[in-house]
Amino acid sequence: MEENNLQCNSVVDGNFEEVPRETVIKFKPPLYRQRYQFVKNLVEQHEPKKVADLGCGDTSLLRLLKVNPCIEFLVGVDINEDKLRWRGDTLAPLMGDYLKPRDLNLTITLYHGSVVERDSRLLGFDLITCIELIEHLDSGDLARFPEVVFGYLSPSMIVISTPNSEFNPLFPSVTLRDSDHKFEWTRMEFQTWALYVANRYDYSVEFTGVGEPPAGAENVGYCTQIGIFRKNGGKAMESCVSEQHDQHVYKAVFTTSYPSLQQERFFKLVLVNEVSQQVESLRVSHLPRQKKQDGEWDDTPKDSQASSPCFGPVFTEVEKAKIENSPKPFCVGDKFFVPLQRLLAYPKLNRLCANEETMRSGIADSIPLSSDGSAVVADLRDYSDEQF
Amino acid sequence: MTGRARTTARGRARRREQEEQEAPGVPRAPESAASAAEPAQWQWTPRPLREEGPVVRPRQPRGAEGTAQSRGVREPGLEAGLQTLSLQERRIGGVFQDLVVNTRRDMMHVKNSKTGSEGEVVRLIANHFRVISHHQRSAFKYNVDYKPDVEAGNLRQILLNQHIRKFGECHIFDGNSLLLPRPLRERKVEWVSTTEDKKIVKIVVEFSKELAPTSPDCLRFYNILFRKAFKELNLKQIGRHYYTEKIPLTLERRGTSLEIWRGYVTSILQYENGITLCADVNHKLLRIETVYDFISKIQAEAQRGNPQVEVANKLIGSIVLTKYNNRTYRVDGVDWNLNPRHTFNKSDGTKITYIDYYKQQHKEIITVMRQPLLVSQGRWKKGQTGPQRQPILLIPQLCYMTGLTDEIRKDYTSMKDLATETKLSPEKRHNSLKGLRKSIEEEKAQALLQPWNFKFDSNLLSLHGRVLRNANIFQGRRMVRANANGEWAREVREVPLLSPVPLHSWLLLYNNECFREAMILKDYLYHVTAPMGITMRPAHMIEVAGHADSYTNILRKYTRSALQMVICILPDDDKYRYDHIKKYLCTTFPIPSQCVVKKTIEKVQAKTIVTKIAQQMNCKMGGALWKVETNVQRTMFIGIDCFHDIVNRQKSIAGFVASTNAELTKWYSQCVIQATGEELVNELHTCLKAALDVWCENESSMPRSIIVYRDGVGDGQLQALLDQEAKQMSTYLKTISPNNFALAFIVVKKRINTRFFLKCGSRFENPRPGTVIDVELTRNEWYDFFVVSQHVKEGTVTPTHYNVIYDTIGLSPDTVQRLTYCLCHMYYNLPGTIRVPAPCHYAHKLAYLVGQSIHEKPNRSLSTLLFYL
């Protein structure tokens, strides 16, 4: 949480004394990256659907998290509206997100507001992160913080990180690490607070941290201390969410939704593309054989043999068997037919469609089908083949 | 090969577009690619201690927490005239540099009026909305300096905004300077801001100047403001650009599907009578095909030869998009010895495989292990020599192809579908713009525009144009005139050519697959040349093996004979073969040649095509098809155009084509090979000298006036053209005869966003060929005008903009407009009007052939022939 601070000029004069560079402890990767990585790992491990970052600042953490396929709602809250407004653009979907849509929908929203205010739109989350936030709260806000985040929002999991002041003596002439910090806690202070809060709101808490102390000073603990709070009794009940009164105090500054396979339009786009690619590949491999002997379709698909040995997909034995046992492509006159069942045998397409009917309805608008709808039809010979 | 003959796609513009799309600072190795998505190091330059106060050092340990820089994420380029939106706030200059160049001031003859009067007056509508009100008083510009320096534009804005109360919501910031409607109390103020990680940045805001509300600099700020307002409109945002909706067309061709989106491009500029908002519709292409898919397809199709060579041929030079960081790269090579299981060194020195790297960094799963890696040399910059930097390695499966596929480009139906959707009719375009106009009224956009008192006319700008008479064309003994569509093919059917060249000694090369086609071509040629007045002796017909060398090997045996023409029938349109033959016949063994692809002769309309081929051959040998009445004497017309191949990092080629007789039927052509990407031409005086020498061989007296049409220059080059090219020529002319020559230099621009619609009752149509516009949307500082010279069968016609930047001839507006339109009737590959004056298009054809196929100067003996048609 990085509030504006206009009077910090004086602090600079006081704090930026001659600091001999070589004595400064450097973390590799930088500490902020380690904190983000920590959250990222946690997300990968627990696969939350709805994640909010309180005090999201320049939204770096959100940008890191948005690539996680499990997340469907990503929210950032900060008190600095300008920053949110400016960073919003960088969260909008890019060209690539349209080229390869996600499996699940993703909505990203940035709210302008204070973490000690209640907003019902943040109810029912799986994970709320407060990275280097609490030390920026004054005593009044800090007192209200647990009540709002733990008591009201009550997500399944909360991650709170804050500086460990026991580490500070290792830094030259530092009292507080930041001019806006209202306090920095020892491990004991943080853990006492955390255990009290956990106990009060029925959470269990586990302590860890990032930023290993240097050799010889192991007793000071991590540079950043982290508490992971888990709600006892698991996930927030969806039903209690709906019972709550709508309370919208935050101002939505930016919102964007990502294309995904859950949206019919993108599902069809991807499916049609995959089907036509597969059909084309089968057609081409059928072609030279057809030219040579003008006979029946040979059993072995050509695509695996013809391409050079160092290229192409490798199917597992199960996949291979599945493909070979599926109905084969065939020709009638100059028309080339690929049964949908055959297409479904390919892993890439199987992942998209569970059954023939889904595939049929997905491609019917764009790709010609046989009269009974059981196969894709293509012209066997394409005029541009004549060039070869 | 009529298709090729009519091509107007310029290599340069298309490729440049793509190049510009590349994000700045393309990373060297994949690990730095990650920095695009993650917070980058806060950048500041250590400076010596000055009176400003203590040097700010990053504090530890939080010192490493930087505010992420947003390196602009950009879209991949579009090909074939589908342009991306080009509202880029950070690119200063360009057209704004040209706006301050007052070229009209020095031309006394157009001091009072540059408006012509010839022709029939018509009522037109332009795709501009007049700005009916805007901030009327001067605005105040302040330079904004950061200490220590801050590079990221976003961060600069954030830091500045911390003081928004001191300068108010109503402001425009372009990253370097701040525009305010009212002055600040002090001329110079210092503010202190803190970054995300509590670093102190001093912001020095110093008064720079007052800007008149219509000054180009002020307009530049208005464009930034409008772009900000655009963001608020209800459009779909992808990265930095805004699109309305997908248009209902998915092209599917041989396993690749494409989707097309529609968007807008806008600009606010000052014209003759005030400021207008120019708005046009444009399109974006979505191609869902990874490089891996693409390689698979080539592998499957490659039946003979080495598939790896085939892959390299088709892939090298293409622009690919990486999904994970939205960057574009040019493929410079394919490394088959590597695969995703290989490792590379991360910045911290540890080794990691590509698979693990992409999984950890970008959540991208590489499923295919048997794929090569792509090699890219990174972003290429003008003036940069040789690739010294570490190449970037990319995974085919994670890279997407951009642009149209060759299959689609060659496929008539697909291209036609594409054209129907993207080439909007005047009617549709008009409606679409109306829609945009409505959305500007949305509250969110108005919130930004209102403080500056911006109001737009709700109707499109209406203005007058004049339709000039089509030129008189003389062919054989007939005088004809183009019809309303600017065509006269029907009128001259079966009419003998103006000056036919007898075809006495010619070769016809074909390979064994093409024997039948060779016979058909020969027969048709006999048949069609007779009415044209061309006498023809039988050809030497020679069968060749078909590969590139087989054609040139045969030709070696004929080097001593007086051959007039070589016709090669090619089994397909393989570029290597074509280039090889053309190169040989333009340099080593200079003879006009005609290549015909077998398929062309197989078409139903083959006979019509052969007629065109015969005419083309006649021109290549020095004949002329028709002439146009220009009513000027002793005037040489020159066309100059450039070809840039930045993608393949080839040398740039400037084409120079000059008329060398009074009838404009003989032309002198030369090309200048220049540094890659160089737009200005250096050796113009030598070209001019050679052209004048040839003129003297054809005519009894030297020309008195020289009119240059200069095409192929980008925005922002006006002053440079004046200082370099126009000056080179005028200086040279003075050295040969101080008082005898007069020179006019006209800049031709085809890529403009302005469109005109002809109002017919309640419908909108394209203006007719010959429509001239020299009011309202021209500029007060320029002697400029628009001409719609071509007819289009579909879509909206693009007018061509002409800007007379230098004129000692004293051309009246009527004369220069009429001459310009006349010259559009002179392109021998088409019995109709074209988009630019013929010499420009000849220069384009020459530069294109040399740049694409020959790569060196053609033999001098060809310079008096239109061998490149």
Side-chain angles (χ1 to χ4, degrees):
Chain A
M1 180 65 125
E2 324 282 349
E3 286 99 329
N4 264 353
N5 190 337
L6 299 178
Q7 321 92 297
C8 43
N9 205 5
S10 57
V11 182
V12 172
D13 293 335
N15 263 353
F16 274 82
E17 296 296 271
E18 300 307 304
V19 178
R21 284 210 140 207
E22 51 282 358
T23 64
V24 167
I25 294 171
K26 281 193 172 166
F27 290 101
K28 203 172 178 186
L31 199 55
Y32 77 98
R33 289 269 275 270
Q34 294 192 28
R35 286 194 287 262
Y36 291 165
Q37 190 60 44
F38 178 86
V39 176
K40 213 176 141 188
N41 292 344
L42 211 63
V43 165
E44 271 162 40
Q45 196 187 331
H46 294 278
E47 306 200 330
K49 261 186 174 175
K50 300 175 85 174
V51 179
D53 184 26
L54 305 185
C56 63
D58 65 4
T59 70
S60 311
L61 180 60
L62 298 180
R63 270 182 295 147
L64 213 58
L65 293 181
K66 72 169 188 182
V67 297
N68 275 75
C70 59
I71 298 180
E72 293 174 61
F73 290 94
L74 196 54
V75 166
V77 180
D78 204 292
I79 201 150
N80 185 341
E81 184 181 354
D82 267 338
K83 200 172 289 175
L84 294 182
R85 209 175 265 291
W86 274 89
R87 304 314 297 191
D89 285 359
T90 60
L91 291 168
L94 300 170
M95 200 59 203
D97 296 306
Y98 288 88
L99 290 171
K100 193 184 170 195
R102 299 162 45 96
D103 286 355
L104 301 174
N105 284 331
L106 168 66
T107 307
I108 301 180
T109 312
L110 298 180
Y111 292 113
H112 170 227
S114 161
V115 294
V116 294
E117 286 174 281
R118 296 159 183 243
D119 190 298
S120 59
R121 288 170 293 187
L122 261 74
L123 290 170
F125 272 62
D126 302 303
L127 171 66
I128 289 184
T129 58
C130 309
I131 302 304
E132 306 293 273
L133 167 77
I134 55 168
E135 65 274 13
H136 291 270
L137 303 177
D138 61 28
S139 52
D141 283 346
L142 183 67
R144 259 173 288 159
F145 173 82
E147 184 196 324
V148 175
V149 176
F150 288 80
Y152 176 70
L153 300 180
S154 193
S156 314
M157 189 187 274
I158 301 170
V159 175
I160 295 179
S161 87
T162 190
N164 166 17
S165 65
E166 290 167 74
F167 198 95
N168 288 359
L170 296 176
F171 297 122
S173 65
V174 165
T175 43
L176 289 179
R177 296 183 197 175
D178 189 285
S179 57
D180 187 56
H181 285 184
K182 306 299 185 297
F183 59 86
E184 279 170 14
W185 276 339
T186 61
R187 281 173 287 175
M188 180 60 89
E189 286 168 317
F190 175 57
Q191 292 178 11
T192 311
W193 176 84
L195 285 166
Y196 168 76
V197 171
N199 191 33
R200 166 136 191 221
Y201 296 100
D202 197 20
Y203 277 76
S204 57
V205 59
E206 172 194 326
F207 298 101
T208 174
V210 292
E212 300 264 0
E218 287 85 357
N219 59 329
V220 301
Y222 291 110
C223 188
T224 297
Q225 45 182 338
I226 299 174
I228 306 170
F229 300 78
R230 286 192 183 80
K231 193 167 172 175
N232 295 329
K235 212 180 141 26
M237 298 301 285
E238 296 284 337
S239 56
C240 26
V241 174
S242 54
E243 283 165 21
Q244 301 278 358
H245 264 294
D246 270 1
Q247 208 171 343
H248 292 189
V249 292
Y250 291 169
K251 179 177 162 197
V253 175
F254 173 86
T255 182
T256 185
S257 65
Y258 275 65
S260 86
L261 295 181
Q262 287 183 310
Q263 295 156 33
E264 193 191 9
R265 190 195 138 194
F266 293 105
F267 170 73
K268 279 189 175 176
L269 184 68
V270 170
L271 179 66
V272 166
N273 197 52
E274 290 289 343
V275 166
S276 55
Q277 256 177 36
Q278 194 59 55
V279 170
E280 172 66 12
S281 139
L282 289 168
R283 185 189 73 82
V284 168
S285 57
H286 197 182
L287 208 54
R289 219 163 276 273
Q290 186 72 19
K291 261 184 184 167
K292 260 183 245 152
Q293 57 197 45
D294 254 336
E296 272 301 290
W297 171 256
D298 198 324
D299 275 358
T300 42
K302 191 202 154 212
D303 42 356
S304 53
Q305 331 166 335
S307 32
S308 75
C310 60
F311 187 80
V314 186
F315 293 121
T316 62
E317 288 305 320
V318 181
E319 286 166 350
K320 253 186 223 161
K322 203 173 162 194
I323 294 169
E324 271 163 38
N325 292 331
S326 65
K328 298 186 176 16
F330 55 94
C331 288
V332 177
D334 58 354
K335 293 286 177 195
F336 180 60
F337 293 80
V338 184
L340 297 188
Q341 283 297 344
R342 170 71 169 200
L343 291 169
L344 280 171
Y346 290 95
K348 254 174 138 180
L349 284 164
N350 195 268
R351 191 179 161 274
L352 286 172
C353 306
N355 56 51
E356 202 181 320
E357 189 42 49
T358 326
M359 179 177 282
R360 189 165 22 245
S361 63
I363 62 176
D365 303 339
S366 323
I367 297 181
L369 296 175
S370 60
S371 51
D372 63 349
S374 70
V376 169
V377 193
D379 287 324
L380 180 60
R381 274 170 225 273
D382 192 296
Y383 81 87
S384 50
D385 291 327
E386 292 157 18
Q387 291 174 20
F388 290 99
Chain B
M1 295 186 106
T2 49
R4 196 174 55 83
R6 280 194 72 168
T7 179
T8 50
R10 266 209 322 230
R12 187 207 115 216
R14 209 166 74 196
R15 300 207 142 100
R16 168 68 65 88
E17 189 87 36
Q18 296 172 337
E19 198 64 23
E20 279 173 359
Q21 303 305 329
E22 286 199 3
V26 169
R28 305 282 62 79
E31 70 266 27
S32 46
S35 64
E38 280 169 33
Q41 283 285 319
W42 141 265
Q43 295 200 355
W44 67 290
T45 11
R47 291 183 178 183
L49 201 68
R50 276 184 285 181
E51 70 283 0
E52 293 98 70
V55 176
V56 183
R57 280 222 181 105
R59 296 185 59 186
Q60 295 294 339
R62 293 182 57 110
E65 301 185 27
T67 306
Q69 288 176 298
S70 125
R71 289 287 181 165
V73 275
R74 308 205 181 166
E75 308 304 319
L78 275 191
E79 290 196 347
L82 297 159
Q83 302 166 0
T84 48
L85 295 185
S86 54
L87 285 163
Q88 292 184 4
E89 54 196 14
R90 293 283 282 176
R91 214 171 63 201
I92 301 169
V95 70
F96 296 103
Q97 281 175 24
D98 289 345
L99 298 185
V100 292
V101 183
N102 191 326
T103 46
R104 187 172 164 196
R105 196 174 40 197
D106 300 327
M107 292 180 273
M108 296 315 284
H109 57 288
V110 285
K111 194 177 171 216
N112 295 324
S113 165
K114 59 165 180 182
T115 310
S117 57
E118 275 179 24
E120 170 204 345
V121 174
V122 288
R123 186 146 197 82
L124 301 172
I125 305 283
N127 62 336
H128 288 241
F129 297 97
R130 199 193 296 279
V131 174
I132 45 177
S133 94
H134 59 95
H135 188 70
Q136 283 303 325
R137 278 164 299 156
S138 295
F140 299 85
K141 184 182 170 186
Y142 289 83
N143 289 336
V144 183
D145 246 331
Y146 293 79
K147 289 171 183 173
D149 198 18
V150 176
E151 276 204 353
N154 283 350
L155 184 56
R156 288 174 82 102
Q157 172 87 53
I158 290 164
L159 294 174
L160 185 68
N161 275 13
Q162 293 179 8
H163 305 281
I164 194 153
R165 264 165 293 155
K166 297 169 192 160
F167 54 83
E169 281 286 350
C170 179
H171 71 272
I172 309 172
F173 181 59
D174 72 351
N176 294 311
S177 42
L178 183 67
L179 193 74
L180 299 173
R182 275 172 301 276
L184 293 171
R185 228 170 295 149
E186 291 142 89
R187 281 185 73 86
K188 185 175 178 179
V189 281
E190 284 190 18
W191 294 326
V192 175
S193 294
T194 36
T195 64
E196 182 79 346
D197 50 343
K198 300 300 168 206
K199 271 179 232 129
I200 305 298
V201 177
K202 205 167 280 182
I203 304 178
V204 183
V205 180
E206 192 177 1
F207 177 73
S208 158
K209 59 180 162 190
E210 269 186 51
L211 296 181
T214 54
S215 72
D217 207 14
C218 198
L219 290 172
R220 191 171 59 75
F221 280 101
Y222 288 164
N223 276 290
I224 295 169
L225 178 74
F226 194 76
R227 185 179 155 75
K228 252 169 110 181
F230 222 97
K231 278 190 190 174
E232 305 292 335
L233 299 180
N234 193 19
L235 299 174
K236 186 85 204 157
Q237 178 184 2
I238 307 168
R240 287 164 51 90
H241 299 290
Y242 301 87
Y243 292 89
T244 43
E245 82 269 41
K246 163 196 181 270
I247 56 173
L249 170 71
T250 314
L251 287 180
E252 197 280 318
R253 185 90 198 115
R254 313 201 75 196
T256 313
S257 24
L258 296 171
E259 219 181 74
I260 293 140
W261 294 356
R262 188 166 289 164
Y264 294 110
V265 57
T266 62
S267 70
I268 298 176
L269 286 178
Q270 161 84 27
Y271 294 95
E272 212 76 50
N273 300 322
I275 300 175
T276 68
L277 168 74
C278 169
D280 198 16
V281 180
N282 81 6
H283 295 93
K284 183 164 191 66
L285 198 71
L286 205 67
R287 172 166 169 195
I288 311 175
E289 182 177 36
T290 66
V291 175
Y292 169 74
D293 298 334
F294 186 71
I295 298 177
S296 311
K297 216 188 288 173
I298 301 170
Q299 289 253 348
E301 281 168 5
Q303 287 163 25
R304 45 178 125 97
N306 185 345
Q308 296 190 358
V309 173
E310 188 82 354
V311 168
N313 281 343
K314 291 206 172 169
L315 204 54
I316 289 175
S318 0
I319 302 293
V320 299
L321 170 84
T322 47
K323 180 204 164 202
Y324 45 85
N325 60 1
N326 206 49
R327 290 212 166 131
T328 49
Y329 302 87
R330 173 190 189 266
V331 179
D332 292 300
V334 183
D335 194 333
W336 292 87
N337 296 320
L338 295 175
N339 68 49
R341 281 210 183 88
H342 279 84
T343 59
F344 66 95
N345 290 330
K346 286 214 299 189
S347 53
D348 60 3
T350 55
K351 276 188 184 302
I352 187 168
T353 64
Y354 289 96
I355 309 170
D356 291 340
Y357 174 79
Y358 284 105
K359 196 165 160 194
Q360 284 170 20
Q361 285 298 333
H362 302 293
K363 290 266 173 293
E364 295 287 349
I365 313 291
I366 301 170
T367 55
V368 185
M369 299 308 142
R370 298 193 306 183
Q371 55 181 320
L373 298 191
L374 307 177
V375 185
S376 173
Q377 299 294 352
R379 189 167 133 91
W380 180 87
K381 285 199 192 94
K382 193 165 155 181
Q384 177 189 308
T385 46
Q388 307 97 341
R389 295 171 305 174
Q390 275 268 309
I392 301 156
L393 293 167
L394 302 163
I395 311 289
Q397 207 186 355
L398 304 181
C399 296
Y400 285 82
M401 302 292 296
T402 58
L404 293 173
T405 65
D406 283 349
E407 279 79 27
I408 290 188
R409 208 171 280 138
K410 283 178 200 158
D411 179 28
Y412 179 73
T413 16
S414 297
M415 284 310 272
K416 201 173 155 223
D417 291 349
L418 191 65
T420 357
E421 287 302 336
T422 60
K423 293 187 175 170
L424 293 185
S425 69
E427 188 77 25
K428 276 190 190 158
R429 195 173 290 261
H430 179 263
N431 291 340
S432 186
L433 295 176
K434 280 277 188 189
L436 175 72
R437 177 65 191 84
K438 222 174 261 164
S439 52
I440 296 173
E441 291 305 319
E442 279 173 29
E443 202 179 320
K444 282 176 175 173
Q446 284 301 313
L448 276 164
L449 297 173
Q450 246 161 16
W452 292 90
N453 198 19
F454 255 112
K455 286 203 182 71
F456 300 95
D457 197 339
S458 53
N459 289 311
L460 287 158
L461 183 75
S462 155
L463 72 173
H464 289 289
R466 287 172 290 113
V467 186
L468 301 184
R469 241 171 46 138
N470 287 333
N472 291 337
I473 295 151
F474 298 91
Q475 179 167 344
R477 269 183 234 133
R478 291 268 284 279
M479 198 274 280
V480 295
R481 204 175 281 161
N483 63 19
N485 290 344
E487 288 157 7
W488 60 89
R490 197 166 298 157
E491 287 78 356
V492 293
R493 187 171 291 161
E494 309 275 297
V495 174
L497 304 182
L498 180 72
S499 63
V501 177
L503 192 51
H504 287 156
S505 165
W506 56 296
L507 285 185
L508 181 58
L509 307 187
Y510 58 94
N511 77 337
N512 62 347
E513 294 166 40
C514 307
F515 175 70
R516 206 177 68 86
E517 287 73 23
M519 293 306 286
I520 295 173
L521 177 67
K522 192 189 66 174
D523 290 347
Y524 278 166
L525 273 177
Y526 279 120
H527 204 259
V528 300
T529 48
M532 291 181 195
I534 301 173
T535 55
M536 226 171 83
R537 294 228 183 107
H540 291 272
M541 293 189 54
I542 303 162
E543 187 177 308
V544 295
H547 58 268
D549 283 330
S550 63
Y551 289 87
T552 50
N553 287 342
I554 290 286
L555 287 169
R556 268 175 241 285
K557 296 177 192 157
Y558 288 85
T559 39
R560 286 211 202 105
S561 59
L563 272 181
Q564 285 175 293
M565 170 61 73
V566 176
I567 300 181
C568 299
I569 304 203
L570 310 177
D572 58 59
D573 54 2
D574 175 48
K575 185 173 179 319
Y576 175 74
R577 188 195 294 114
Y578 178 80
D579 292 356
H580 187 78
I581 296 172
K582 279 288 175 190
K583 184 171 176 151
Y584 183 74
L585 287 171
C586 287
T587 58
T588 336
F589 181 35
I591 288 186
S593 57
Q594 182 75 47
C595 290
V596 185
V597 178
K598 176 184 175 212
K599 212 163 67 192
T600 320
I601 310 290
E602 289 166 348
K603 285 186 183 158
V604 201
Q605 62 288 47
K607 196 164 174 185
T608 328
I609 295 170
V610 173
T611 313
K612 292 208 167 227
I613 292 174
Q615 291 175 350
Q616 208 175 334
M617 281 163 46
N618 187 62
C619 298
K620 284 179 176 181
M621 293 185 296
L625 305 188
W626 63 80
K627 66 175 180 184
V628 174
E629 191 176 63
T630 57
N631 293 329
V632 287
Q633 269 100 46
R634 294 175 66 185
T635 304
M636 174 187 270
F637 292 91
I638 296 176
I640 304 173
D641 197 357
C642 288
F643 173 83
H644 304 273
D645 187 351
I646 287 185
V647 170
N648 292 312
R649 291 159 207 182
Q650 300 277 5
K651 295 270 183 197
S652 285
I653 312 289
F656 172 101
V657 175
S659 62
T660 54
N661 66 350
E663 290 187 316
L664 276 78
T665 52
K666 290 189 171 153
W667 300 89
Y668 170 81
S669 315
Q670 187 178 336
C671 68
V672 181
I673 298 183
Q674 313 208 97
T676 318
E678 181 58 57
E679 287 191 326
L680 298 168
V681 188
N682 281 322
E683 292 173 42
L684 283 182
H685 54 282
T686 51
C687 299
L688 185 56
K689 178 181 186 305
L692 287 169
D693 290 347
V694 178
W695 176 287
C696 291
E697 289 164 21
N698 295 334
E699 297 282 336
S700 52
S701 54
M702 284 283 252
R704 210 178 284 135
S705 317
I706 292 167
I707 300 179
V708 183
Y709 285 92
R710 177 62 161 98
D711 197 355
V713 268
D715 284 339
Q717 300 274 33
L718 219 51
Q719 190 64 47
L721 277 180
L722 211 54
D723 295 345
Q724 292 186 34
E725 295 194 356
K727 196 160 180 197
Q728 267 184 64
M729 299 182 95
S730 63
T731 316
Y732 173 73
L733 292 172
K734 273 191 196 116
T735 59
I736 39 174
S737 167
N739 301 317
N740 280 353
F741 291 104
L743 174 73
F745 202 94
I746 304 171
V747 178
V748 181
K749 224 178 232 177
K750 305 191 291 284
R751 288 172 188 270
I752 54 173
N753 290 325
T754 296
R755 299 283 186 278
F756 298 105
F757 312 122
L758 180 68
K759 198 159 184 205
C760 298
S762 62
R763 287 189 52 81
F764 293 94
E765 286 177 10
N766 277 320
R768 277 174 39 205
T771 305
V772 173
I773 298 95
D774 56 6
V775 289
E776 296 275 359
L777 292 177
T778 50
R779 290 182 48 83
N780 200 21
E781 296 84 357
W782 293 346
Y783 179 11
D784 62 336
F785 56 94
F786 296 89
V787 179
V788 174
S789 52
Q790 78 279 32
H791 166 76
V792 292
K793 290 197 184 74
E794 55 194 354
T796 313
V797 70
T798 311
T800 308
H801 181 253
Y802 296 89
N803 188 359
V804 186
I805 62 168
Y806 183 87
D807 176 19
T808 55
I809 305 173
L811 292 167
S812 72
D814 278 326
T815 314
V816 71
Q817 291 166 7
R818 187 177 49 79
L819 278 178
T820 301
Y821 185 49
C822 257
L823 286 173
C824 297
H825 291 71
M826 293 292 304
Y827 181 62
Y828 282 152
N829 266 348
L830 183 78
T833 51
I834 59 166
R835 223 178 139 177
V836 291
C840 274
H841 201 58
Y842 287 142
H844 162 77
K845 293 284 290 181
L846 170 65
Y848 189 81
L849 177 74
V850 174
Q852 279 277 303
S853 307
I854 307 178
H855 304 298
E856 60 182 280
K857 279 194 179 186
N859 195 297
R860 279 190 67 92
S861 63
L862 291 172
S863 65
T864 53
L865 304 173
L866 296 171
F867 64 95
Y868 42 81
L869 262 191

